[in-house]
Amino acid sequence: MTSGTGVPARTRVLHRTLLTGALTVVLLLAGCTGCDDGADHSGPPTPRTDTTCDGRIDGTAHLTMWYHAPSALGERDAVRAQVHAFNTSQKDVKVTLLDLPKGDYNAQVHAAAADGELPDLLDFDAPNLFSYAWAGDIRPIGSCLPDRVRADLLPSVLEQGTYRGELWGLGTFDSGLGLYIRPSVFEKAGVRIPRGPRDAWTATEFTGILKKLRKLGYDTPLDLNMQYADTEWGTYGFAPAVWSAGGDLIDRSTYRTADGALNGPEAVKALTTLQSWVKAGYVDANKDSGAFQEGRSPVSWTGHWWYRRYTEAFPGDVAIVALPDFGEGTVTGMGSWQWGVPAGSADGDAVWRFLAFLLSPGEVSRMTELNGAIPATRTAIARTELFGEGGPERLYIEQLEGGVARPRPQTPAYPAITRAFSAACGKIMKGAAVRPALDEAVRAIDKDLADHQYYPPTGP
């Protein structure tokens, strides 16, 4: 993938990354200049039939792809092995994995999009899909998805990849969130252990449990990964408490304001409860990220990515239970990295051929056995001991299939929402007054919405 000047695109991305802030603003405003018509654009979307795939591949297709800098050791090597396996398995499509310079991956995507130099395939963190789709950087891919593959995918994977009634992204794995506990400690404390989402502890019950664990000798019985509260973890980890209480990060009936949803009494109550645990000293500061493994906290509010390390620390003494019920039932998070087809990709059918390969049971297993994530297909799930029927991580499947999991707000405003909400979480966890912190977040979100004319629909 080379520009008309002969300069490699990945080199130009490095240069353009320095201008990311300005480019991002230009990119977002480009689709909405002069479109503040006062209409409510938030009604039920009208699905279109996309034409990304027509069932034909002309000649030998040569594709380029990007892959984000992974957090799990070896993920990129796994993708490289997948590309090699695919290229040697057939002759119709040849894929080249491009190396990107070190830096902010999302910034690199925005910069390349502004230059029209995205590859034929790229991955992105799921909540960013909505802004990419709105800006016209990626193409819908529903026309590429066979019914048999659609039926095999977890419903959460399809929901996460959908924006305004069309499918824009697909992941080969999903995520899970819950409470890791040490059953031996809870049995000693005489505390019941929930059997599933419908049996979750109430927030009030959980507060009492923390008191019992302290009496048992655990001064800081709860790990909230509080050291990351002002990052994306704050949104992924603590939005479920707001949702469980009946609040939200934005009014999803219109997607035009956060007022009344994020700073309403439900959200205030949920975050006040979380803050009360911190103020009572129940929450470990966890500066070494070892609160659970080192035995200081027998409860950890976190995701699937800790399962391997936690079970290595306490073999046979780790269980996963649903998050506390803050009033309207337990709710959990979902969504992880997904694949999408950039708008300028030459051959959607060729790209789909490779994506279909990545979604095959063996390739889904290759990746999820490495990174510990939840396989995206039921066929791959059935092959695992961890997530299959009776497996120790089966709760994650129950949550993703049973409507307990909820996607982060499906709006192009998500980057602004998560910045504002996670910043508020960081302040609240440090003792700031809850309602004023949420009011400030609402003002920031509503400003972004107004600045972009409430993100009216773009494209045909």
Side-chain angles (χ1 to χ4, degrees), residues 154-241:
L154 288 174
S156 59
V157 173
L158 292 168
E159 182 180 9
Q160 186 65 70
T162 299
Y163 172 63
R164 293 196 63 82
E166 292 191 288
L167 186 68
W168 302 80
L170 282 175
T172 62
F173 51 84
D174 208 332
S175 64
L177 182 65
L179 294 176
Y180 284 83
I181 67 168
R182 290 175 54 197
S184 65
V185 174
F186 280 71
E187 290 169 4
K188 188 175 181 180
V191 175
R192 74 175 183 89
I193 298 176
R195 298 180 297 277
R198 295 182 180 180
D199 194 33
W201 294 310
T202 65
T204 300
E205 186 179 8
F206 188 63
T207 301
I209 290 170
L210 295 176
K211 292 179 182 179
K212 290 184 178 181
L213 293 174
R214 174 172 283 176
K215 289 181 180 179
L216 202 61
Y218 296 94
D219 292 335
T220 55
L222 176 62
D223 166 33
L224 290 176
N225 283 285
M226 193 172 64
Q227 69 275 30
Y228 303 120
D230 59 355
T231 70
E232 182 64 23
W233 163 249
T235 304
Y236 180 80
F238 305 134

Side-chain angles (χ1 to χ4, degrees), residues 63-329:
L63 306 176
T64 55
M65 65 174 288
W66 288 0
Y67 186 75
H68 74 282
S71 57
L73 183 64
E75 259 188 28
R76 190 174 184 83
D77 289 337
V79 171
R80 200 176 300 279
Q82 289 176 318
V83 169
H84 176 74
F86 174 74
N87 284 341
T88 56
S89 69
Q90 46 77 56
K91 297 180 180 180
D92 294 332
V93 182
K94 298 301 177 185
V95 178
T96 299
L97 174 62
L98 299 177
D99 290 323
L100 292 170
K102 291 183 179 180
D104 185 302
Y105 180 76
N106 192 46
Q108 292 171 339
V109 172
H110 278 304
D115 279 351
E117 293 183 346
L118 287 171
D120 297 297
L121 175 67
L122 79 160
D123 71 330
F124 38 74
D125 198 7
N128 291 327
L129 175 150
F130 316 119
S131 60
Y132 292 154
W134 178 80
D137 296 337
I138 56 176
R139 301 161 64 179
I141 60 173
S143 63
C144 304
L145 187 63
D147 290 343
R148 60 177 178 77
V149 178
R150 184 183 292 272
D152 197 31
L153 286 163
L154 288 174
S156 59
V157 173
L158 292 168
E159 182 180 9
Q160 186 65 70
T162 299
Y163 172 63
R164 293 196 63 82
E166 292 191 288
L167 186 68
W168 302 80
L170 282 175
T172 62
F173 51 84
D174 208 332
S175 64
L177 182 65
L179 294 176
Y180 284 83
I181 67 168
R182 290 175 54 197
S184 65
V185 174
F186 280 71
E187 290 169 4
K188 188 175 181 180
V191 175
R192 74 175 183 89
I193 298 176
R195 298 180 297 277
R198 295 182 180 180
D199 194 33
W201 294 310
T202 65
T204 300
E205 186 179 8
F206 188 63
T207 301
I209 290 170
L210 295 176
K211 292 179 182 179
K212 290 184 178 181
L213 293 174
R214 174 172 283 176
K215 289 181 180 179
L216 202 61
Y218 296 94
D219 292 335
T220 55
L222 176 62
D223 166 33
L224 290 176
N225 283 285
M226 193 172 64
Q227 69 275 30
Y228 303 120
D230 59 355
T231 70
E232 182 64 23
W233 163 249
T235 304
Y236 180 80
F238 305 134
V242 173
W243 297 330
S244 174
D248 210 334
L249 309 191
I250 190 171
D251 179 353
R252 297 202 197 201
S253 67
T254 66
Y255 282 100
R256 294 172 66 90
T257 183
D259 193 29
L262 180 52
N263 58 355
E266 298 86 0
V268 170
K269 181 178 180 181
L271 291 173
T272 298
T273 299
L274 286 173
Q275 186 188 67
S276 73
W277 298 337
V278 178
K279 287 184 174 181
Y282 295 137
V283 180
D284 196 288
N286 202 18
K287 293 180 179 180
D288 62 353
S289 296
F292 191 91
Q293 300 102 299
E294 299 299 324
R296 301 193 302 269
S297 303
V299 189
S300 181
W301 180 310
T302 192
H304 70 266
W305 51 91
W306 279 103
Y307 177 81
R308 189 172 300 166
R309 282 168 285 185
Y310 284 179
T311 54
E312 287 174 353
F314 299 100
D317 191 25
V318 175
I320 308 170
V321 301
L323 295 179
D325 176 358
F326 286 78
E328 296 192 5

Side-chain angles (χ1 to χ4, degrees), residues 7 16 22 32 53 68 165 199 233 247 250 255 259 352 406 425:
V7 179
R16 290 289 183 175
C32 61
C53 287
H68 74 282
D199 194 33
W233 163 249
I250 190 171
Y255 282 100
D259 193 29
W352 173 252
R406 187 176 301 183
C425 283

